[in-house]
Amino acid sequence: MLSLRGEMREVEREAERRLRPFACGVGDCQRRYKNMNGLRYHYQHSGDHGAIGLALLASGQHECLQHTHGKSSAASSRQSTPLGSGQPIPVTTPSTPTYAQQYLRAQQQRSRRRGA
């Protein structure tokens, strides 16, 4: 009976991972979200804990960015192929920094001012 319970828990955990693939992963936080917006909201409203998460997202080192969950990667989605050419043409991306990048810059500037 005990092994059946263990198997059920593992099935439940796997179902949760699939339903909510965007895990916080900062410290021992176990929060999971259905989409990236939920995870960003969590970080934006979590103080220092959130600053770490935003930094991971901005640097591309966050765990949820490492695994594409069977979807196309961000790099391939930035390119489009004109009909018949077969060669990808890079699509320009906006030069406006993301919220996470702006936040990191502000944090770095504050820490430089304190250190100087």
Side-chain angles (χ1 to χ4, degrees):
M1 188 71 179
L2 195 57
S3 64
L4 181 59
R5 285 184 187 165
E7 287 179 36
M8 288 299 292
R9 280 191 211 117
E10 185 57 36
V11 168
E12 289 170 357
R13 280 192 290 266
E14 180 61 26
E16 180 69 12
R17 280 190 291 267
R18 289 181 184 208
L19 178 64
R20 299 173 190 277
F22 297 93
C24 175
V26 175
D28 60 351
C29 182
Q30 299 295 312
R31 292 184 181 256
R32 302 184 72 85
Y33 298 89
K34 290 182 181 180
N35 55 52
M36 180 65 74
N37 289 338
L39 181 60
R40 280 195 187 111
Y41 182 90
H42 168 66
Y43 288 151
Q44 290 167 352
H45 296 86
S46 298
D48 291 338
H49 169 92
I52 294 167
L54 288 172
L56 289 170
L57 287 175
S59 68
Q61 296 176 355
H62 195 284
E63 182 181 330
C64 75
L65 300 174
Q66 306 303 317
H67 308 289
T68 59
H69 301 286
K71 297 178 183 174
S72 64
S73 69
S76 66
S77 68
R78 284 189 213 118
Q79 296 183 352
S80 65
T81 305
L83 292 176
S85 76
Q87 295 295 320
I89 295 177
V91 176
T92 58
T93 56
S95 60
T96 305
T98 64
Y99 176 84
Q101 291 167 331
Q102 292 172 359
Y103 184 86
L104 283 175
R105 271 194 213 124
Q107 290 287 92
Q108 290 168 348
Q109 290 172 350
R110 277 187 230 125
S111 61
R112 281 189 206 124
R113 281 187 219 132
R114 285 185 206 137

